[in-house]
Amino acid sequence: MTFTLDGLETRPAQAWGSIRLVPLVRDEPVPHLRLHRKAYEEPVSVVDVGDGTAYVAFVPHAFVADWSDGDPTRSAAYGTRLLERDTAAAPPRMPVRFTRRMARKAGKDRLRFLPLHLAVEGYLALHFGGPEIVWEEWSRRAVARGLSPRCEETYLGLRVRGLEDALRIFEIHPGQCGVLVYVADALASAFVVPHPGDYRALHATLVEDLFGELIYKYGLLGAPAGDLSAPIDGAGITSIHDLRAAASCRREEWAAFHDAVMAGDLFDEEGSTQPVQRMYGFRLSRFLPSFGLRKENHIGETITDDEGRVAYLKTFRLSDTQVRRGYLLKRLAGNRWRLDATAAALGIGGAALALRLERAGFASLLRQDVLDHYRAQARRAAPA
């Protein structure tokens, strides 16, 4: 990964129960780029991803990135498309909406994309075609249809206990262009926009973002956020100037600790990035992690300028189960989908690998007789 949050400064966090919000502030907005919104009545969408397959999801809103130098007072909107100019008539409303692309140019100056769904589609499409070589272990379904259909369960932010109240209560800082959301001090998501006006318009839409099973369960547990405050030592403070200097030092220490420790695993240097669209010096991309076990793994999407500076960012933390699925698919693909070679690379037997695939939800990819053979082999090897 080459993404950085240069130009964004971390401000003191605000905590409410298990929710901790860490504001990100820009000295100067990113020029020539704004996010806008358009409300949709029906949030269920069917998106043609362009290769004969469709992506079905609950889409509460879309974003529109605007490259024009128009009215600077325009703000990001809830549910948007990228349009060359405002249209008089809204698209037809229906219970199921059909959209041409996950990210599509809608005029020379605008791009419409569905927030987070671009990243989730990238995860669901991971080795979507299944085995490239027809080894004998794979079922007819695996050869003919690959991993289709794939589905994952997510939760609306409204169902993450405390998040709605925190967003309503917490202060929005002057110049704030982003936020990092923590639940029980686990990094749940990051959200960055190019302009403070965009953030003010989109702050409340975080309750309609997607969150994984881990974050949902942490919210249910209600474990309070830890006390990370560092009191100011009054020794040596004899004036308002000294107090201001001490407070500034504490803010810098907090920002350094947060960026290096709490948010240190947001971007994975061993992950992969896929460019999706490019317009006027900005690039819309999505990224996947390396799927390392027993660590944080985030998927997400960004808009960056030519210098690699992040103008827009939205991320989703994968659950441990989702990480294991991605890990298995990556290792299988790296060993040309050969079960014996993959098992050897993992240091386990073929039966153990088959059972791991079954637990990960990939049992239908294996021939039934092969899976039954490995199940029997595992039972014989189990201690009495």
Side-chain angles (χ1 to χ4, degrees), residues 159-333:
R159 300 188 64 187
V160 178
R161 181 178 296 175
L163 180 60
E164 184 178 17
D165 289 338
L167 292 170
R168 176 174 50 84
I169 294 170
F170 288 173
E171 171 190 6
I172 297 179
H173 287 239
Q176 184 170 348
C177 289
V179 66
L180 278 77
V181 180
Y182 294 84
V183 180
D185 283 328
L187 178 56
S189 70
F191 178 44
V192 173
V193 294
H195 192 281
D198 299 343
Y199 182 80
R200 285 185 175 274
L202 290 171
H203 173 78
T205 66
L206 286 166
V207 298
E208 293 184 329
D209 277 351
L210 305 179
F211 292 88
E213 180 184 16
L214 176 71
I215 301 304
Y216 170 73
K217 288 183 176 179
Y218 280 0
L220 288 180
L221 292 173
D227 183 7
L228 301 179
S229 60
I232 295 175
D233 186 358
I237 296 180
T238 60
S239 65
I240 293 294
H241 175 76
D242 293 339
L243 183 60
R244 286 174 176 162
S248 177
C249 180
R250 286 292 182 268
R251 284 196 298 268
E252 292 176 1
E253 290 173 352
W254 153 253
F257 166 77
H258 170 268
D259 296 350
V261 178
M262 297 185 68
D265 292 327
L266 178 60
F267 298 127
D268 189 342
E269 294 182 356
E270 298 179 357
S272 60
T273 305
Q274 179 186 11
V276 177
Q277 290 277 4
R278 184 176 179 86
M279 290 180 70
Y280 296 97
F282 290 93
R283 184 192 301 271
L284 173 65
S285 306
R286 62 186 174 200
F287 60 86
L288 292 172
S290 59
F291 296 104
L293 301 178
R294 293 176 293 278
K295 58 174 289 191
E296 290 182 25
N297 284 263
H298 299 265
I299 62 175
E301 58 207 18
T302 64
I303 295 178
T304 55
D305 60 17
D306 284 336
E307 298 177 357
R309 179 176 55 171
V310 171
Y312 161 78
L313 170 69
K314 191 174 280 286
T315 68
F316 174 91
R317 180 169 178 167
L318 297 173
S319 68
D320 291 343
T321 300
Q322 291 166 332
V323 172
R324 286 193 292 270
R325 289 179 187 143
Y327 175 80
L328 286 172
L329 292 176
K330 183 177 178 182
R331 297 304 294 264
L332 282 167

Side-chain angles (χ1 to χ4, degrees), residues 59 103 140 144 151 222 271 383-384:
V59 183
R140 292 181 180 273
C151 61

Side-chain angles (χ1 to χ4, degrees), residues 103-151:
R104 179 171 63 90
K105 292 182 181 179
K108 67 177 182 179
D109 293 329
R110 294 192 177 188
L111 177 71
R112 178 205 42 84
F113 61 98
L114 307 178
L116 272 185
H117 294 267
L118 188 68
V120 172
E121 186 225 352
Y123 171 73
L124 291 177
L126 183 66
H127 304 297
F128 186 79
E132 294 97 354
I133 301 175
V134 186
W135 304 113
E136 62 180 7
E137 297 92 345
W138 301 104
S139 67
R140 292 181 180 273
R141 179 187 181 280
V143 174
R145 300 176 58 187
L147 297 176
S148 174
R150 281 200 63 195
C151 61

Side-chain angles (χ1 to χ4, degrees), residues 3-25:
F3 304 131
T4 66
L5 295 181
D6 293 344
L8 286 160
E9 297 181 3
T10 302
R11 290 289 186 261
Q14 302 174 82
W16 175 265
S18 62
I19 306 297
R20 186 191 305 275
L21 300 186
V22 178
L24 301 175
V25 174

